Amino acid sequence: MNATAPLKIYQPEATSAIEMRDFNAWFAEAHILRDIRLSFRENRITCLVGPSGSGKSTLIRSINRINDDVGNYNCSGEIRLSNQNILASGNDVAKLRTRVGMVFQKPCVFPTTIAGNVLFGIRHLQKLSRPEKQTIVEENLKAAALWKEVKHRLQDKASSLSLGQQQRLCIARTLAVKPEIILFDEPTASLDPLSSRAIEDLMLSLKEKYTIVFVSHNIQQARRVADDLAFLCAGKLIEYGSSQQLFSNPTQEKTRKYLNEEFCDC
Ligand SMILES: Nc1ncnc2c1ncn2[C@@H]1O[C@H](COP(=O)(O)OP(=O)(O)OP(=O)(O)O)[C@@H](O)[C@H]1O
Ligand SMILES: [Mg+2]
């Protein structure tokens, strides 16, 4: 292994849910992501790691196109979902966001009840009867490992929950929309260790049904949770592969240094 070793292209044996091809992103004149080629495997957790400012959030936010809402953002290349380029003009962004859900760093509950939060994303989609709504609330709170804690207080304000519970409620709200892919951008950054572990366990259970892309600052957390790992530095993808391979035998010296010492001199 040495710093100049050629970058091994990871050949995933599982089907890819998302493929980024020669993806570049800019904020005004600043070139933030450079020639990213990366695939995210179905029913796997791919963790993006890298120093602060390396472009992890920009990358993950490009997958559901919420960067588009930032005025000075521009991008090129392709992001393929079900073999269609989601960046193509005319692509239905609202529909894309039902397929690609997102959970943010800080739990962001809406100023309504616990049940109302679960139903929030589907309130306009269909006319649901009361029993149907109850079933959806129960199913998704169960899937988010929150049901037992809140089943007797579904009409309480969501803001009365603890932060860890609020984050699981945000996950239930995301699941209710029935996405295929869930993006998590540092979902445990504002939580205590016990609540963080609950979210980690939840992600591990969710990958049976969903493809998960997960940004973490915490290398130990990435080691516990990730199937695949992508290391970004200064907007470049330094290395991508199975988590086991990157931790045990990375091809790039930069990867080894970052994963072992959290140091990067890019
Ligand atoms: N809306 C914006 N306008 C201009 N520059 C931005 C904007 N958002 C992000 N950037 C810049 O893009 C670069 C990458 O930011 P990004 O948030 O993607 O990094 P990150 O790897 O997620 O960092 P962190 O680990 O601190 O969350 C940074 O230099 C940042 O300042
Ligand atoms: Mg970030």
Side-chain angles (χ1 to χ4, degrees):
M1 183 178 66
N2 62 58
T4 55
L7 180 62
K8 233 189 224 169
I9 301 296
Y10 185 49
Q11 300 288 349
E13 80 280 359
T15 315
S16 296
I18 311 162
E19 274 194 52
M20 303 183 85
R21 296 184 183 168
D22 302 323
F23 183 76
N24 285 267
W26 295 262
F27 285 113
E29 301 300 311
H31 197 170
I32 306 297
L33 293 171
R34 294 168 182 268
D35 303 322
I36 305 290
R37 273 190 297 149
L38 183 55
S39 23
F40 300 92
R41 298 191 293 165
E42 267 180 9
N43 302 107
R44 299 287 196 278
I45 299 177
T46 301
C47 186
L48 304 178
V49 294
S52 182
S54 56
K56 304 179 298 296
S57 294
T58 307
L59 192 157
I60 202 171
R61 292 162 70 95
S62 65
I63 300 172
N64 62 351
R65 291 186 55 177
I66 51 173
N67 286 328
D68 291 16
D69 302 335
V70 180
N72 56 2
Y73 173 78
N74 211 344
C75 67
S76 69
E78 291 188 4
I79 300 179
R80 301 192 78 82
L81 193 76
S82 308
N83 225 18
Q84 282 190 329
N85 180 16
I86 62 158
L87 304 178
S89 60
N91 198 283
D92 183 343
V93 176
K95 192 169 170 205
L96 171 71
R97 290 178 191 166
T98 65
R99 297 179 69 189
V100 184
M102 184 152 192
V103 177
F104 298 88
Q105 180 171 341
K106 284 195 186 141
C108 162
V109 296
F110 297 128
T112 177
T113 60
I114 294 170
N117 264 272
V118 179
L119 295 168
F120 197 86
I122 53 172
R123 69 201 183 290
H124 299 309
L125 289 185
Q126 43 200 304
K127 211 164 172 49
L128 297 165
S129 66
R130 186 187 280 255
E132 282 170 328
K133 283 183 184 169
Q134 281 167 350
T135 305
I136 291 170
V137 168
E138 180 172 343
E139 275 178 359
N140 289 291
L141 287 172
K142 279 182 175 164
L146 187 57
W147 174 249
K148 281 188 192 154
E149 290 156 71
V150 302
K151 63 182 174 184
H152 300 304
R153 48 184 293 207
L154 295 173
Q155 298 309 319
D156 285 4
K157 282 205 164 89
S159 55
S160 66
L161 296 172
S162 74
L163 269 187
Q165 289 171 329
Q166 288 187 24
Q167 193 62 305
R168 279 177 283 148
L169 180 59
C170 291
I171 294 171
R173 189 177 65 207
T174 302
L175 297 180
V177 181
K178 295 190 179 300
E180 297 153 47
I181 293 155
I182 310 178
L183 311 172
F184 288 89
D185 194 353
E186 298 200 50
T188 64
S190 52
L191 305 183
D192 64 89
L194 218 59
S195 305
S196 298
R197 283 300 182 110
I199 301 286
E200 287 178 23
D201 290 344
L202 182 53
M203 283 196 284
L204 287 167
S205 74
L206 291 174
K207 75 174 178 178
E208 272 184 37
K209 288 192 182 163
Y210 307 91
T211 299
I212 293 178
V213 184
F214 164 47
V215 170
S216 180
H217 256 125
N218 182 332
I219 304 289
Q220 292 318 315
Q221 183 176 56
R223 192 192 282 269
R224 285 192 294 272
V225 174
D227 296 297
D228 298 338
L229 208 61
F231 171 46
L232 271 184
C233 197
K236 291 189 195 139
L237 180 64
I238 305 296
E239 191 166 354
Y240 166 57
S242 76
S243 171
Q244 198 204 7
Q245 186 238 313
L246 261 70
F247 275 110
S248 62
N249 190 23
T251 60
Q252 304 296 305
E253 176 62 12
K254 282 180 179 177
T255 311
R256 189 200 62 73
K257 263 203 152 147
Y258 187 74
L259 294 181
N260 286 298
E261 301 161 25
E262 293 194 37
F263 172 78
C264 191
D265 55 3
C266 284

